[in-house]
């Protein structure tokens, strides 16, 4: 799974997003970034948590910027516009639901 995602990332110009588990009550998504990539502004309609498993990213929400390092996590509020920018090559897990 991670090997496939990292292979896709080699030629990608945007973050690679892949669902790795999807049940009726939850979803787990892997997001892979190259340094400088940005997951553009968007909203979530369910509770979510972002966990950094490699690298370093900045989570941006309204006027708040939070730098996240290895194993840092961030709760993402419902219906709040946010984005994520990679400071270095990074892998994140997103837990929804």
């Amino acid at each position: 799974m991670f090997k496939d995602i990292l292979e896709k990332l080699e030629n990608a110009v945007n973050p690679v997003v892949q669902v790795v588990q999807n049940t009726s009550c939850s979803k787990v998504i892997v997001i892979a970034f190259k340094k400088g990539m940005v997951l553009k502004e968007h909203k979530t309609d369910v509770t979510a948590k972002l966990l950094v498993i490699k690298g370093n990213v900045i989570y941006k929400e309204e006027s708040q910027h939070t730098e996240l390092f290895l194993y840092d996590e961030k709760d993402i509020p419902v219906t709040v516009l946010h984005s994520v920018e990679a400071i270095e090559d990074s892998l994140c897990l997103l837990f929804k639901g």
Side-chain angles (χ1 to χ4, degrees), residues 2-69:
F2 285 105
K3 280 186 177 183
D4 294 339
I5 294 166
L6 293 174
E7 284 177 14
K8 289 178 187 175
L9 185 63
E10 287 178 17
N11 299 314
V13 294
N14 293 307
V16 175
V17 179
Q18 185 169 321
V19 176
V20 293
Q21 181 178 340
N22 193 3
T23 69
S24 60
C25 58
S26 68
K27 186 184 284 189
V28 179
I29 301 167
V30 174
I31 308 169
F33 298 87
K34 286 185 211 171
K35 179 180 179 176
M37 284 184 168
V38 176
L39 187 62
K40 65 182 181 177
E41 284 190 322
H42 60 283
K43 295 179 183 180
T44 181
D45 55 355
V46 297
T47 58
K49 181 182 297 262
L50 184 70
L51 171 66
V52 179
I53 60 171
K54 177 183 185 259
N56 172 221
V57 301
I58 295 179
Y59 171 86
K60 300 177 181 180
E61 171 186 303
E62 298 172 347
S63 62
Q64 173 189 351
H65 294 187
T66 305
E67 192 165 1
L68 302 172
F69 298 92

Side-chain angles (χ1 to χ4, degrees), residues 43-44 46-48 59 61 74-82:
K43 295 179 183 180
T44 181
V46 297
T47 58
Y59 171 86
E61 171 186 303
K74 176 70 177 165
D75 289 322
I76 301 172
V78 176
T79 69
V80 172
L81 202 59
H82 62 278

